[in-house]
Amino acid sequence: MIVAKFGGSGVTSTNLNRIKKIVLNNPDIKHVVVSAVGKQNNAEKKVTDMLIEYSRSYDKKILRKIVEAYLAIKEKYDLKTDIEKIINKSLSNSKNYAYLVSRGEYFSALMVSELLDFTFVDTKNLVKFKADGRLDMENSSALIAKTLSKIQHSVLTGFYGSDPFGRITLFSRGGSDITGALVSDAVDAVIYENWTDVNGFLTANPQKVLNPKTIECMSYGQLAKLNRIGADVLHPMTVLPLVKKSIPLNIRNIFNPTHSGTLITRVANKNGLLAATSFEAVYSVFDKIIPIKNFENLKFYNAETITRTLSEKPIQKIKSVFETPAEYIQVVYYGKYNTDEIIEKLGKIFFLSKGDNTLSLITERGNSTVQTVYDYFSKI
Ligand code: ASP
């Protein structure tokens, strides 16, 4: 049995036919978890973002936009659910933030369940949070297992559950990934397919590096490691429910469904370069010239932190002189390499630290800095 989770980019009027095809072509997919409608095009916002705005303003124009996103689905797929009435009613009758923001997943699951002719399942009373706000994994797994044992095919709402008092509780953003993992654990799935809009996990950000590759496989631990260095295809908590039963997680692309994506299991991938990340940073030397004790050990921090931490005046003066735009690069690599060669290629390095198969360095920002580091590790 397969559990498939579809992110918001699939749950749009334009792309839902892809989900339909993927699910109906594979009889092993029994349970489907969906996100709220994602961006229809670059100009649009995700429905969850619209709901967050709506929960603050109760602006009728935003409500209309949300209705339109779901009406487009209803019309294109000729669905019967009176989604306009359901949306208007649920968004007008509550002022509760979590309830309002959770409705995107609720509306999506209603529409997708009709589209696939699968049973609609609300996770409100199945995904449980403890009084302190943490996920109650065991209880949730047991409740989901009990409910789904009586249902052959279902579409479940991602992203939310409820606390011990029955109040809707949200995961942090991107949390439908965790719902999918919980469902996979509960039904003993042979695989958890997480369908996104990229060919799995890439070895680098394609906006910074030319033609990065898909990481074909890695371990749960390696995924956590990549999350720590800022590579964030999935919610960082996604693997927790999967580890106990070693359920494989397969990241796939709805736009390229024959691509095998990234497979995450217990087995680590220790063949050279796993991935590289990079972030813009600011290197500052002013800790050396301003004798403030707390800052003695700081080698870099971003401009925002500096302005928040110290009084405005001296900083602005110093900032322009002593701050250098920098790039914070981290590489996960299995094998031997020579840091001297990297230093030679980059020229200016402010900070370099090696450990636990991860190299972290801060270098002066340049057009191809990340590419240089990436190329070095790809070619060893
Ligand atoms: N819709 C929520 C978000 O945009 C949750 C999710 O998609 O996983 O963060």
Side-chain angles (χ1 to χ4, degrees):
M1 175 188 317
I2 295 173
V3 170
K5 179 256 165 180
F6 293 93
S9 46
V11 192
T12 62
S13 59
T14 326
N15 295 330
L16 255 179
N17 52 350
R18 295 176 187 276
I19 296 188
K20 189 174 176 185
K21 225 166 151 186
I22 290 165
V23 175
L24 300 184
N25 278 348
N26 187 348
D28 289 334
I29 300 181
K30 306 279 188 209
H31 301 290
V32 169
V33 174
V34 287
S35 286
V37 170
K39 282 187 188 180
Q40 307 272 351
N41 54 52
N42 277 343
E44 283 289 336
K45 287 195 171 128
K46 288 177 167 189
V47 159
T48 304
D49 291 306
M50 294 189 213
L51 286 164
I52 291 172
E53 265 184 69
Y54 177 78
S55 74
R56 293 185 185 128
S57 63
Y58 306 108
D59 183 343
K60 290 268 181 289
K61 277 194 248 123
I62 301 175
L63 191 141
R64 189 63 214 162
K65 279 211 142 88
I66 298 167
V67 168
E68 278 164 12
Y70 288 94
L71 269 185
I73 293 176
K74 177 180 160 83
E75 276 152 26
K76 178 156 176 195
Y77 299 93
D78 203 15
L79 304 177
K80 307 235 157 10
T81 305
D82 192 350
I83 197 69
E84 183 166 9
K85 193 167 158 200
I86 295 171
I87 296 177
N88 280 324
K89 199 169 160 213
S90 34
L91 299 190
S92 307
N93 284 349
S94 173
K95 295 246 179 301
N96 180 281
Y97 174 83
Y99 172 82
L100 291 173
V101 175
S102 71
R103 291 306 85 188
E105 271 65 17
Y106 180 86
F107 304 144
S108 286
L110 281 177
M111 302 309 268
V112 178
S113 60
E114 187 188 341
L115 178 78
L116 300 175
D117 197 17
F118 281 17
T119 307
F120 166 82
V121 175
D122 187 348
T123 49
K124 179 180 176 224
N125 297 318
L126 303 182
V127 172
K128 295 302 292 180
F129 292 84
K130 297 179 184 166
D132 63 7
R134 280 182 307 143
L135 172 67
D136 187 342
M137 218 146 70
E138 264 160 50
N139 197 10
S140 305
S141 191
L143 289 165
I144 297 169
K146 193 164 167 228
T147 303
L148 295 190
S149 68
K150 293 170 233 137
I151 299 172
Q152 275 228 320
H153 297 100
S154 74
V155 175
L156 300 104
T157 53
F159 190 39
Y160 70 90
S162 61
D163 68 9
F165 309 102
R167 292 176 301 210
I168 292 263
T169 305
L170 302 172
F171 285 114
S172 54
R173 296 298 301 269
S176 304
D177 287 337
I178 312 167
T179 313
L182 280 171
V183 175
S184 304
D185 170 62
V187 301
D188 288 334
V190 291
I191 194 158
Y192 168 28
E193 290 183 350
N194 189 298
W195 289 85
T196 62
D197 51 6
V198 285
N199 285 341
F201 225 107
L202 301 182
T203 47
N205 180 347
Q207 276 153 10
K208 296 196 174 180
V209 165
L210 272 177
N211 302 324
K213 297 195 198 78
T214 293
I215 305 174
E216 281 173 27
C217 60
M218 65 177 135
S219 67
Y220 303 118
Q222 286 180 314
L223 178 72
K225 203 182 195 44
L226 294 192
N227 261 310
R228 278 198 297 278
I229 66 162
D232 57 351
V233 174
L234 291 176
H235 191 289
M237 272 174 66
T238 309
V239 294
L240 291 183
L242 304 175
V243 175
K244 200 172 67 199
K245 294 179 184 162
S246 301
I247 296 170
L249 160 60
N250 191 193
I251 307 172
R252 303 282 293 271
N253 186 359
I254 54 159
F255 298 105
N256 193 2
T258 53
H259 192 288
S260 50
T262 300
L263 186 65
I264 299 153
T265 62
R266 276 201 179 280
V267 184
N269 174 352
K270 297 196 171 172
N271 292 329
L273 175 67
L274 191 64
T277 59
S278 73
F279 296 94
E280 288 187 355
V282 175
Y283 178 76
S284 166
V285 287
F286 81 91
D287 53 316
K288 288 184 186 134
I289 54 165
I290 303 181
I292 299 175
K293 282 227 158 26
N294 293 347
F295 294 113
E296 262 166 17
N297 297 326
L298 276 182
K299 287 284 173 284
F300 88 103
Y301 25 99
N302 65 37
E304 225 187 292
T305 327
I306 298 165
T307 9
R308 259 192 281 116
T309 323
L310 295 172
S311 67
E312 297 274 321
K313 260 199 207 139
I315 299 155
Q316 282 180 357
K317 241 192 276 155
I318 294 159
K319 225 158 83 177
S320 55
V321 186
F322 294 105
E323 281 182 11
T324 316
E327 198 83 37
Y328 182 32
I329 301 176
Q330 287 171 284
V331 182
V332 178
Y333 182 81
Y334 296 85
K336 285 201 169 63
Y337 59 94
N338 186 342
T339 42
D340 289 342
E341 286 175 26
I342 300 170
I343 294 169
E344 200 181 307
K345 278 186 196 301
L346 290 175
K348 205 162 193 169
I349 294 214
F350 302 122
F351 166 88
L352 188 141
S353 138
K354 229 175 136 174
D356 197 19
N357 307 306
T358 307
L359 171 75
S360 308
L361 61 88
I362 299 168
T363 178
E364 204 166 13
R365 202 179 303 159
N367 282 343
S368 57
T369 337
V370 194
Q371 186 77 52
T372 307
V373 177
Y374 183 83
D375 288 346
Y376 174 81
F377 281 99
S378 317
K379 285 174 193 153
I380 318 180

